[in-house]
Amino acid sequence: MKRVQNLLGHYLIHGFRVRPEPNGDLDLEAMVAVFGSKGLRIGNMALALGHNSVVLYDPVVGCILQDVPCTDRCTLSSACLIGDTWKELTIVAGAVSNQLLGLLATASEDRSVRIWKVGDLRVPGGRVQNIGHCFGHSARVWQVKLLENYLISAGEDCVCLVWSHEGEILQAFRGHQGRGIRAIAAHERQAWVITGGDDSGIRLWHLLGRGHPGSGVSALCFKSRSRPGALKAVTLAGSWRVLAVTDTGALYLYDLEVKCWEQLLEDKCFQSYCLLEAAPGPEGFGLCAMANGEGHVKVVPINTPTAAVDLTLFHGKVHSLSWALRGYEELLLLASGPGGVVACLEISAAPSGKAIFVKERCRYLLPPSKQRWHTCSAFLPPGDFLVCGDRRGSVLLFPSRPDLLKDLGVGGKVGAGTGALGTGSGSGGSENALAEWGPVSTLPSLHGKQGVTSVTCHGGYVYTTGRDGAYYQLLVRGGQLQPVLRQKSCRGMNWVAGLRMVADGSMVILGFHANEFVVWSPRSHEKLHIINCGGGHRSWAFSDTEAAMAFAYLKDGDVMLYRALGGCTRPHVILRESLHGREITCVKRVGTITLGPEFGVPSFMQPDHLEPTSEGPGLIDIVITCSEDTTVCILALPTATGSAHALTAVCNHISSVRAVAVWGTGTPGGPQDPRPGLTAHVVSAGGRAEMHCFTIMVTPDSSTPSRLACHDSGQQLQLLAETFHHKRCVLKVHSFTHEATNQRRRLFLCSTATDGSLAFWDLTTVLDHGSPALEPPADPGLPYRLGSPCLTLQAHSCGVNSLHTLPTREGHLVASGSEDGSLHVFVLTVEVPELEEAVGGAELVPQLQVLEEYSLPCAHAAHVTGLKILSPSLMVSASIDQRLTFWRLGHGEPTFMNSTVYHVADVADMDCWPVSPEFGHRCALGGQGLEVYNWYD
């Protein structure tokens, strides 16, 4: 039998629920609840009302059958109804709650989670007893889930906590941004938790249970009568061997498999001052180096310490040691001595494997500074250049071989002494044998006065970190270092110690946050590991492999070791990428990329030149969004799926990002070499009068979900001119060009203010040297002042929040939207005087005139925050009233076409563009979230 019934009118049905019977069978008269976008249809149902009462409601008749008020008259924020029939119904109200097996969990705005034991409320004496309370959140708790062995809570502090029923925190899931976690779901048998936050991200976490052995801090119990002296330095040779040196000059090894300390050697020359560094690699290459205050360096094979090699490199103190791997097998050791001299030693093993050879390869000379020694080093593949960071925060580029200096045309004196050095070799002969090479490129004080902490080479770029809380992406081009991008780490991490590239292609940042060592993921915005080590001013070492991650440090005279199985990554899955943690303030489309049939190689296409037969599934729109969370995101929006993929995020701003401008869209190779991809120049501006200019390049990458990858590089801005014509807050600026036959191409700027006025400026000759359009500044150090506007128009009664122009045959079509919900549309013409009309060789000043002017006073019920003229006959507007409205333009007043409701609240900006005749137009609206809407004419 088939029966069709209209339950929710014309609204979309999202799903239905069938109430199961107590015996688990479904009756023929089972109650079915159907819910949709605008309604709910069910049999008789119980409703908990905000004024603390429960009613039995008949939705068919539309009346209340019974009303049961509570004795306490108050306002409820939430309620939980328990029971299958009206006679057995129990209500728990006043807080977010969840019930299981006679236990009840509640969460409140007082930041607590409480567990209650619920008795039989139908009999006299039935009570609800508080059996425990949990305090661990730093803000309001919004969700709670009670499982058989766990209690899970989440709230406004963006943290999901896993508790035991006794109130002990077992796990803490951090990674969401913004204003909190709104939804949680859990499956105890599958041991996973899913969280959804205000940042639009959805993440899956694994429940590890109590006492998970995968990670933790343990003391290695170094203190013993058989091991005299105090510890001075510690390092890691791989993730399972720990090396430590004492003030008696003794070197000790701790093997995590054997779990005991072993003395490798003892040298009295390394008593008072000693540096200790292990060679890089998963097994540490089986080598470590020691240095003292008298210029001595000792290279020690860990497996055969009796084959150690001693060198005397300098007459003074060795300030720093660092290892550098050139290629895959060539291992070099760099040692900094007095006067900024850096000795480069080449280490090789004997054929028998029981001895090593050390040969001084060359010497480098650092630029003069107060603290003149290097702090880190790395070879740029294939090994032609050595990149060093020094104590004064500079990044230096050195050649790796003498003939490279001649290739670059850099003058320098190259010595010829490369003799092998052995035990007891004199320092004077070695210093005179080798000349000192200076850097071919320098970025002075890039990381501030605290110094550079690490240098990493990956994917053709150089990444540097420092104690200024930032990390840089650099590029070596033509033998010169060029800054590409500067990024800030997580908030509060002012000491960035290094970065690592993980297996999935992303990077993790290592650093110190107050007294904690933190491994932070820029991709997931999550602190993957947190170790309370006391800060980075003590001796510490970090090592990571695919099997495990290790962090060793000295504390209370002992070696403390933190190990985590699985390396730096965390065993959780990002089901949906987060977008922004706060409101989106601006949305701008960059361009369109068309993927091939196999989604392999994309190519750039202008939206106005799309073929009528272009297939929608191959189109990917590149969109830039900025937000109050201080980030600028580059997104890929495939036409077919409608999902958004975050390609990269720029986190350079220190305050809210309010506006974004895009220009110069093209291909990476230019018109002559149309390589696949897309490039564009971007300027972002925000709070604290901060602006950033950078270039983005989107290229194909089959390893990402969107098949695309994005790279960005920084640019510099220079203030040319300014004006204070409006004398109040300027809300919008928009530039457009005017082209006419036998006339110069002219550039105009339109600005709007809070008084509802529009001002038009001619910027054509602003960049010309000595232009009369610029007034000289009052002081030599100030920028030029822009002259008077060409036209001023009072279009609205209050602030203008949206503005757009479009060239037409008659002139330029200009549209604006205001805070009073009105729209203003007019046609602007540009008339340039003939050359013979200019008097005395004066510059020709264009005349702007308004031909047609129309106003729509009540176009929207709230602020108009988005406006776009799609064609001379079509315009779209968006407002805080959550309506997207399309208007027909032509001769006469704009006429209403249709309107649709969108779900994003407080829309701040909107962009709309044509996709293809098949897929119509696409609108992206940004506010408290991002919504993409397809419109078909």
Side-chain angles (χ1 to χ4, degrees):
M1 181 179 67
K2 180 180 179 181
R3 180 182 178 184
V4 180
Q5 182 177 356
N6 189 353
L7 297 178
L8 299 181
H10 63 280
Y11 293 111
L12 178 67
I13 294 178
H14 290 169
F16 62 89
R17 295 289 186 271
V18 180
R19 192 192 72 180
E21 295 298 323
N23 57 3
D25 299 331
L26 292 179
D27 197 328
L28 293 177
E29 301 295 330
M31 184 176 294
V32 179
V34 180
F35 54 94
S37 59
K38 292 293 180 181
L40 175 69
R41 182 58 60 87
I42 197 175
N44 294 345
M45 54 183 164
L47 300 177
L49 304 181
H51 59 271
N52 206 355
S53 67
V54 181
V55 298
L56 182 64
Y57 180 72
D58 187 349
V60 178
V61 181
C63 64
I64 296 176
L65 303 179
Q66 191 173 352
D67 187 353
V68 179
C70 183
T71 56
D72 296 331
R73 307 301 296 176
C74 60
T75 302
L76 301 182
S77 60
S78 60
C80 179
L81 296 172
I82 304 169
D84 295 329
T85 64
W86 177 254
K87 294 182 180 180
E88 299 178 354
L89 189 66
T90 301
I91 178 174
V92 180
V96 181
S97 57
N98 182 250
Q99 184 257 356
L100 174 71
L101 298 178
L103 295 179
L104 183 72
T106 61
S108 174
E109 293 187 359
D110 63 356
R111 301 178 296 176
S112 69
V113 178
R114 298 180 184 271
I115 304 177
W116 309 79
K117 184 177 180 181
V118 182
D120 191 351
L121 301 180
R122 296 172 298 179
V123 300
R127 300 176 56 189
V128 178
Q129 182 182 359
N130 184 11
I131 61 175
H133 55 272
C134 310
F135 288 95
H137 287 275
S138 60
R140 295 177 293 181
V141 187
W142 286 337
Q143 292 291 333
V144 63
K145 191 75 174 179
L146 185 60
L147 305 179
E148 185 175 354
N149 297 313
Y150 303 105
L151 177 67
I152 303 172
S153 62
E156 196 176 21
D157 56 358
C158 295
V159 180
C160 179
L161 296 179
V162 180
W163 310 76
S164 66
H165 287 183
E166 293 77 24
E168 178 188 0
I169 298 179
L170 303 179
Q171 287 179 265
F173 303 138
R174 296 178 174 89
H176 287 280
Q177 293 180 293
R179 302 187 182 275
I181 299 176
R182 291 289 183 175
I184 56 175
H187 195 293
E188 193 164 9
R189 293 183 180 179
Q190 299 293 334
W192 49 250
V193 177
I194 295 179
T195 58
D198 274 346
D199 57 356
S200 73
I202 303 175
R203 304 189 181 209
L204 185 145
W205 316 82
H206 292 277
L207 292 171
L208 302 180
R210 190 192 304 267
H212 177 65
S215 63
V217 178
S218 59
L220 301 187
C221 303
F222 179 83
K223 295 180 181 179
S224 174
R225 293 183 179 179
S226 61
R227 293 184 287 272
L231 290 170
K232 300 292 290 184
V234 65
T235 189
L236 286 166
S239 60
W240 54 277
R241 293 198 292 186
V242 183
L243 296 169
V245 65
T246 65
D247 56 1
T248 62
L251 179 65
Y252 291 90
L253 170 68
Y254 186 90
D255 195 318
L256 294 178
E257 296 180 354
V258 183
K259 298 185 182 301
C260 67
W261 287 97
E262 175 188 358
Q263 181 175 337
L264 299 182
L265 57 87
E266 183 175 0
D267 192 338
K268 300 297 182 181
C269 296
F270 297 89
Q271 287 184 352
S272 59
Y273 174 83
C274 181
L275 300 177
L276 179 64
E277 291 290 339
E283 304 301 328
F285 275 84
L287 295 174
C288 71
M290 303 168 60
N292 64 7
E294 300 176 355
H296 298 288
V297 174
K298 182 189 287 288
V299 182
V300 183
I302 298 176
N303 297 327
T304 56
T306 57
V309 177
D310 290 281
L311 304 95
T312 303
L313 297 178
F314 311 107
H315 286 295
K317 180 180 180 180
V318 180
H319 294 284
S320 62
L321 289 174
S322 68
W323 294 89
L325 189 62
R326 186 172 183 264
Y328 294 98
E329 298 181 353
E330 191 174 358
L331 187 63
L332 302 175
L333 175 65
L334 280 79
S336 286
V341 178
V342 180
C344 182
L345 308 178
E346 183 178 349
I347 316 296
S348 59
S352 62
K354 298 182 179 180
I356 60 172
F357 296 102
V358 181
K359 179 175 62 176
E360 187 169 1
R361 183 172 184 172
C362 59
R363 292 202 169 198
Y364 301 109
L365 184 63
L366 301 177
S369 64
K370 183 179 180 181
Q371 296 172 316
R372 199 177 180 187
W373 61 83
H374 88 289
T375 55
C376 50
S377 59
F379 276 96
L380 182 68
D384 293 336
F385 292 101
L386 173 69
V387 185
C388 286
D390 67 1
R391 183 59 180 79
R392 75 165 186 167
S394 303
V395 181
L396 314 166
L397 185 68
F398 292 96
S400 62
R401 62 180 191 274
D403 54 350
L404 192 63
L405 295 174
K406 300 178 183 179
D407 297 339
L408 295 176
V410 180
K413 203 175 178 182
V414 182
T418 57
L421 300 177
T423 304
S425 60
S427 62
S430 63
E431 288 187 5
N432 295 328
L434 295 178
E436 298 159 356
W437 302 348
V440 296
S441 178
T442 304
L443 297 177
S445 301
L446 186 67
H447 285 280
K449 60 182 180 181
Q450 295 294 334
V452 184
T453 55
S454 74
V455 175
T456 305
C457 298
H458 178 77
Y461 291 96
V462 179
Y463 298 88
T464 63
T465 63
R467 290 177 60 180
D468 58 347
Y471 58 96
Y472 278 84
Q473 182 182 5
L474 310 176
L475 180 65
V476 177
R477 181 177 297 170
Q480 297 295 313
L481 286 168
Q482 298 179 4
V484 175
L485 183 66
R486 179 182 185 270
Q487 291 276 58
K488 294 287 289 184
S489 58
C490 67
R491 184 171 300 175
M493 185 189 289
N494 295 325
W495 185 333
V496 183
L499 54 85
R500 295 291 190 275
M501 303 295 174
V502 293
D504 60 357
S506 61
M507 70 168 62
V508 294
I509 307 298
L510 318 174
F512 292 92
H513 190 288
N515 60 343
E516 296 175 338
F517 179 81
V518 174
V519 180
W520 181 68
S521 171
R523 175 176 174 265
S524 61
H525 302 279
E526 177 192 5
K527 293 180 180 180
L528 303 176
H529 301 275
I530 303 175
I531 305 108
N532 190 357
C533 64
H537 298 282
R538 61 191 72 215
S539 179
W540 60 273
F542 176 85
S543 176
D544 67 304
T545 61
E546 294 183 1
M549 182 209 86
F551 177 76
Y553 59 98
L554 299 182
K555 187 175 182 180
D556 298 330
D558 202 352
V559 178
M560 311 298 292
L561 180 66
Y562 173 90
R563 293 188 82 235
L565 301 179
C568 292
T569 58
R570 267 281 184 88
H572 80 275
V573 180
I574 299 178
L575 302 179
R576 180 178 177 180
E577 292 278 358
S578 60
L579 181 57
H580 287 287
R582 297 279 181 171
E583 291 82 0
I584 297 176
T585 56
C586 187
V587 179
K588 285 291 182 294
R589 173 181 172 269
V590 181
T592 301
I593 289 180
T594 304
L595 295 176
E598 298 83 13
F599 296 102
V601 181
S603 61
F604 170 75
M605 294 183 65
Q606 291 284 356
D608 298 335
H609 298 84
L610 296 178
E611 297 293 336
T613 59
S614 297
E615 297 184 0
L619 299 178
I620 295 181
D621 293 309
I622 307 301
V623 176
I624 295 181
T625 61
C626 61
S627 169
E628 291 186 357
D629 63 356
T630 73
T631 61
V632 178
C633 288
I634 292 90
L635 307 177
L637 303 178
T639 303
T641 62
S643 59
H645 302 280
L647 302 180
T648 188
V650 181
C651 309
N652 290 334
H653 285 266
I654 59 178
S655 185
S656 172
V657 188
R658 309 300 301 178
V660 165
V662 180
W663 84 99
T665 306
T667 56
Q672 291 77 16
D673 182 20
R675 290 182 295 171
L678 182 147
T679 61
H681 303 287
V682 181
V683 171
S684 59
R688 300 191 184 182
E690 186 181 19
M691 298 179 63
H692 288 276
C693 180
F694 53 95
T695 301
I696 64 171
M697 180 174 65
V698 182
T699 56
D701 187 354
S702 58
S703 62
T704 61
S706 62
R707 304 287 181 176
L708 301 171
C710 184
H711 310 277
D712 38 42
S713 58
Q715 304 288 333
Q716 291 185 351
L717 291 172
Q718 182 181 0
L719 179 59
L720 177 63
E722 63 181 7
T723 180
F724 296 93
H725 166 77
H726 289 282
K727 298 180 181 180
R728 49 183 49 87
C729 180
V730 179
L731 298 179
K732 284 288 182 179
V733 290
H734 178 77
S735 63
F736 60 96
T737 58
H738 174 74
E739 297 182 2
T741 307
N742 300 326
Q743 290 184 1
R744 182 181 181 182
R745 181 174 178 266
R746 309 196 73 87
L747 174 64
F748 291 93
L749 175 70
C750 179
S751 61
T752 68
T754 54
D755 60 351
S757 64
L758 281 71
F760 294 86
W761 316 77
D762 183 12
L763 302 182
T764 306
T765 59
V766 167
L767 299 179
D768 296 343
H769 181 70
S771 171
L774 296 177
E775 299 179 2
D779 297 326
L782 298 178
Y784 286 95
R785 301 192 64 178
L786 205 59
S788 301
C790 300
L791 177 66
T792 302
L793 180 66
Q794 190 68 35
H796 301 274
S797 60
C798 53
V800 181
N801 290 323
S802 54
L803 178 68
H804 194 247
T805 64
L806 183 73
T808 61
R809 294 181 179 179
E810 296 80 8
H812 295 270
L813 192 60
V814 183
S816 60
S818 175
E819 295 178 355
D820 57 5
S822 64
L823 296 177
H824 197 84
V825 182
F826 59 94
V827 177
L828 185 71
T829 62
V830 181
E831 296 182 0
V832 181
E834 299 294 336
L835 294 177
E836 55 270 12
E837 298 181 15
V839 180
E843 186 179 358
L844 300 178
V845 179
Q847 301 294 327
L848 303 182
Q849 296 181 357
V850 177
L851 291 184
E852 301 179 27
E853 187 174 3
Y854 303 98
S855 181
L856 301 176
C858 300
H860 286 274
H863 300 185
V864 180
T865 54
L867 187 65
K868 188 69 177 289
I869 304 176
L870 302 176
S871 67
S873 60
L874 184 62
M875 181 179 68
V876 59
S877 61
S879 170
I880 296 180
D881 61 4
Q882 296 186 238
R883 287 192 174 274
L884 185 69
T885 305
F886 289 84
W887 307 86
R888 180 69 67 187
L889 302 179
H891 296 286
E893 183 177 299
T895 57
F896 173 84
M897 291 181 60
N898 56 39
S899 181
T900 184
V901 178
Y902 50 83
H903 302 284
V904 175
D906 299 334
V907 166
D909 194 16
M910 180 267 295
D911 199 1
C912 190
W913 61 92
V915 179
S916 65
E918 180 183 358
F919 285 86
H921 290 80
R922 205 172 205 192
C923 299
L925 303 109
Q928 303 238 11
L930 178 69
E931 183 172 348
V932 179
Y933 179 81
N934 291 328
W935 183 79
Y936 305 92
D937 191 359

